[in-house]
Structure formats: structure tokens, C-alpha cells
């Protein structure tokens, strides 16, 4: 689990760094195809680069195990294995808790959207799409208020342009 969290952290850092350079260097460029390709390549690179291993050879001296001799009986004393650090226990637990909270939030949002769609008026269109209009103005996903029919016309125009 620690290996996955380390990989996840490296990917997040690389995505943030690549996006920062994109925003600084290319965000105002009008070559949309080039921008799209660069964004896709940086996303792929962010997931691949942490998998690359850089090997550094270093000479390490090992401590010799202590030997205790009592008469003809000889015992080799080995150092105890170090205990697992607390952060290696807490970090996976926090990751799983955060993942579960995000999942519950996403599922509750999805169920609220499904409930709104079920309780809305449906207007089937000739091209197979259906426009759902709710009568509750507080549930509108827009920051402005529109009349019911102008909203329908606006939504129809948006669907036609896609």
C-alpha cells in the first residue's frame, strides 16, 4: 500500500508541475491542437515517469553481529528489526478514509441528480434526445434565472450545436 501511495504522490506532483508549466507557457497560445497534444502527453508522462527507476550504486558497510560465548555455547546476537513507522500505518488509513468520503459524496450527488431527473418534466425530441425541465427554480444548475420556455429553447440550441 505504501508503494501505491508513493506512486500516487509522485503522479500528483508531476501533474501539478506539468500543469503549472502549461499555464505559464502555453495557456494563451491559440494552437489548440498543439495544446491538446501537449496536455495529453504530459498526462501520460505523469503516469509513466514514476515507474522509471534510477539506480545509484553506493557502497554500504554492514555492522557485524555481536557474538556471545558462554563456555562452549556460542550465540550470535542480531539487531532487532526496526518497527514500522507510525506514518506508514496512518497514511494508508487516511487515504482509504478520504477515498470513501469522496465515493459517498459522488454517489449522493449522482442520486440527487437522478431524483431531479425523475421528478422533472420530459420533452422528447425528434432526434432521440430528451430535455428534462424541473419546475423548482432553486434546483436550476445555472447562476441566472430563465423562463421555462426560453430555457427549453436555449437547451435545444446547445444540443443542436453538439
Amino acid at each position: 500500500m505504501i508503494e501505491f501511495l508513493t506512486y500516487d504522490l509522485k503522479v500528483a506532483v508531476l501533474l501539478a508541475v506539468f500543469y503549472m508549466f502549461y499555464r505559464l507557457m502555453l495557456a494563451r497560445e491559440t494552437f489548440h491542437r498543439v495544446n491538446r497534444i501537449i496536455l495529453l502527453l504530459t498526462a501520460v508522462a505523469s503516469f509513466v515517469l514514476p515507474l522509471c527507476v534510477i539506480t545509484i550504486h553506493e557502497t554500504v558497510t554492514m555492522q557485524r553481529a555481536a557474538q556471545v560465548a558462554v563456555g562452549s555455547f556460542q550465540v550470535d546476537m542480531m539487531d532487532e528489526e526496526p518497527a514500522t513507522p507510525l506514518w506508514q500505518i496512518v497514511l494508508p488509513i487516511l487515504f482509504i478514509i478520504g477515498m470513501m468520503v469522496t465515493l459517498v459524496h459522488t454517489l449522493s450527488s449522482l442520486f440527487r441528480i437522478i431524483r431531479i431527473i425523475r421528478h422533472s418534466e420530459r420533452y422528447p425530441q425528434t432526434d432521440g434526445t430528451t430535455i428534462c425541465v424541473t419546475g423548482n427554480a432553486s434546483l436550476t444548475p445555472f447562476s441566472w434565472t430563465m423562463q421555462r420556455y426560453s430555457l427549453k429553447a436555449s437547451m435545444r440550441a446547445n444540443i443542436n450545436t453538439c
Side-chain angles (χ1 to χ4, degrees), residues 134-146:
T134 179
N136 190 349
S138 65
L139 293 177
T140 182
F142 303 106
S143 60
W144 65 87
T145 58
M146 299 177 76

Side-chain angles (χ1 to χ4, degrees), residues 56-67:
I56 299 174
H57 296 286
E58 184 178 330
T59 304
V60 178
T61 58
M62 300 291 292
Q63 293 180 356
R64 200 171 155 204
Q67 293 181 350

Side-chain angles (χ1 to χ4, degrees), residues 65-117:
Q67 293 181 350
V68 176
V70 178
S72 64
F73 184 70
Q74 186 174 9
V75 177
D76 290 332
M77 303 282 292
M78 300 298 280
D79 290 337
E80 291 183 14
E81 196 170 309
T84 304
L86 181 63
W87 68 270
Q88 286 187 352
I89 297 170
V90 172
L91 194 62
I93 293 171
L94 288 176
F95 180 77
I96 291 172
I97 289 172
M99 188 176 63
M100 295 307 261
V101 167
T102 303
L103 180 67
V104 166
H105 176 69
T106 303
L107 288 177
S108 68
S109 297
L110 179 68
F111 288 132
R112 279 185 273 154
I113 290 171
I114 290 172
R115 187 178 60 207
I116 290 170
I117 291 172

Side-chain angles (χ1 to χ4, degrees), residues 2-67:
I2 294 299
E3 292 84 13
F4 173 72
L5 291 176
T6 304
Y7 171 78
D8 197 28
L9 181 66
K10 289 177 183 179
V11 168
V13 168
L14 284 172
L15 281 172
V17 168
F18 285 147
Y19 184 69
M20 180 186 64
F21 281 117
Y22 168 76
R23 292 292 295 174
L24 288 173
M25 305 291 186
L26 297 172
R28 294 189 179 119
E29 293 296 325
T30 57
F31 302 115
H32 300 295
R33 181 175 294 195
V34 173
N35 286 353
R36 200 174 306 127
I37 290 171
I38 288 174
L39 282 174
L40 288 172
L41 289 176
T42 57
V44 169
S46 297
F47 286 98
V48 172
L49 283 177
L51 298 175
C52 298
V53 178
I54 300 172
T55 306
I56 299 174
H57 296 286
E58 184 178 330
T59 304
V60 178
T61 58
M62 300 291 292
Q63 293 180 356
R64 200 171 155 204
Q67 293 181 350

